[in-house]
Amino acid sequence: MLAAAVAVMTLAAPVGAARAAVTDAFYDRVFMLAAHQKCDLFEPRLIAALDAAALQARGAALRAGTPVADLTSAAARAQARASRTACDDSDLSRVKARVQAGFAGWSRAARMSFPGDRSAWRGDRYVSREIGWRLVQDSVVGGSPVRFGLAGQGPTATSPVAVVSFAGRPRPYAARLVMRDRVQAPRVWLTGGGLPPESARRVFFAASSRAAASGLLTEGARQGEAWTFSSEAADALAQLDPRESFVIEFLFRDDSVASARFEAGDFAAGRAFLAMGSV
């Protein structure tokens, strides 16, 4: 029965659970999104929650070893089932009520962590007077801390920012974000540190830099530089496989390059979390 298939729906996909379980969670959430598109079941904030849940479930399934083709097939089955389900179906009405109850509390959550294989994205939907991180991951280059994510006074932040606090080095003259080019290398690249050869990489140079706001610095740092990238870079990052890596490279006048590695992880799910709006 439909109700039995999607009775339990919570955001946290159980990383490390059986492959079938995380694939089923992804199927369930895609089904409810497709049913909403057909029948207009939920209010916008809950849809944003379901969208984040579907993306996080997909990431958990991939990290559990589920092939991409299996997830594509699961999504197609879920969408086909939704297309065959009548909007006045009694099972669908019961599931709708359960989803509303299950996601009501979560949709009011102000902060959430999106763990990956090695690192996590931390989401924050609070509105503040000062600029702060809305979605962020920590890394390091040498002994210098680097943070990357979306920054602003509220969850409407759209442009990615890298903040670095170099110790004992001159200021870099440029920064660039490097990731797999999905056109040149359509398949996920997980070998050699997570980046394909240079011919299959996509590069986004920072459009501007400035002194970093205090709310963007790591604890104990007194200064740092904030390098701002385009929203196009954020869109490209959201389309990477959550198991992939990307790097922020800082370029110096002596031709040296300092690189900080990050995990794509559930960046897309984190952005969907912010799309729910402020609390």
Side-chain angles (χ1 to χ4, degrees):
M1 290 178 63
L2 174 62
V6 290
V8 180
M9 300 182 68
T10 59
L11 181 73
V15 177
R19 181 182 299 179
V22 287
T23 303
D24 287 348
F26 174 69
Y27 172 95
D28 293 345
R29 291 155 191 178
V30 171
F31 171 83
M32 291 310 303
L33 287 167
H36 165 78
Q37 187 173 13
K38 176 183 177 181
C39 304
D40 194 23
L41 301 175
F42 307 111
E43 51 90 18
R45 178 168 287 199
L46 196 147
I47 285 301
L50 275 172
D51 190 33
L55 290 167
Q56 196 177 23
R58 182 179 185 277
L62 288 169
R63 287 190 288 269
T66 305
V68 173
D70 288 3
L71 293 176
T72 301
S73 177
R77 293 196 312 273
Q79 291 163 349
R81 187 170 189 174
S83 70
R84 298 191 303 268
T85 301
C87 293
D88 60 354
D89 182 270
S90 58
D91 280 348
L92 182 60
S93 296
R94 285 192 290 271
V95 172
K96 173 185 175 182
R98 290 171 181 167
V99 171
Q100 288 173 323
F103 277 84
W106 184 87
S107 66
R108 294 190 293 269
R111 295 188 175 98
M112 186 157 190
S113 178
F114 298 85
D117 285 331
R118 302 174 304 278
S119 304
W121 292 99
R122 300 186 306 279
D124 187 337
R125 297 195 297 124
Y126 272 120
V127 173
S128 61
R129 294 182 179 179
E130 305 296 330
I131 295 176
W133 289 110
R134 304 302 111 195
L135 186 65
V136 64
Q137 185 179 138
D138 292 316
S139 186
V140 66
V141 53
S144 303
V146 183
R147 283 181 164 179
F148 177 81
L150 304 178
Q153 293 175 295
T156 56
T158 57
S159 296
V161 177
V163 172
V164 60
S165 298
F166 279 115
R169 295 203 63 165
R171 181 182 183 276
Y173 71 85
R176 61 193 180 198
L177 190 160
V178 184
M179 66 181 75
R180 173 174 63 97
D181 187 323
R182 296 175 64 251
V183 174
Q184 299 298 325
R187 294 187 178 183
V188 58
W189 191 279
L190 301 178
T191 59
L195 282 179
E198 289 190 14
S199 60
R201 296 179 185 179
R202 191 173 184 185
V203 177
F204 297 89
F205 276 88
S208 63
S209 67
R210 63 188 184 280
S214 59
L216 302 181
L217 299 174
T218 56
E219 185 176 355
R222 296 183 178 180
Q223 61 80 36
E225 295 167 351
W227 298 81
T228 301
F229 297 85
S230 66
S231 57
E232 182 185 4
D235 293 339
L237 177 56
Q239 295 177 51
L240 291 180
D241 186 289
R243 297 167 294 176
E244 289 186 84
S245 297
F246 66 95
V247 298
I248 305 295
E249 296 181 340
F250 300 97
L251 283 60
F252 295 87
R253 298 291 180 187
D254 62 1
D255 293 332
S256 62
V257 178
S259 300
R261 187 170 298 273
F262 294 84
E263 183 178 351
D266 287 332
F267 178 79
R271 282 214 305 178
F273 174 72
L274 297 183
M276 294 168 57
S278 61
V279 294

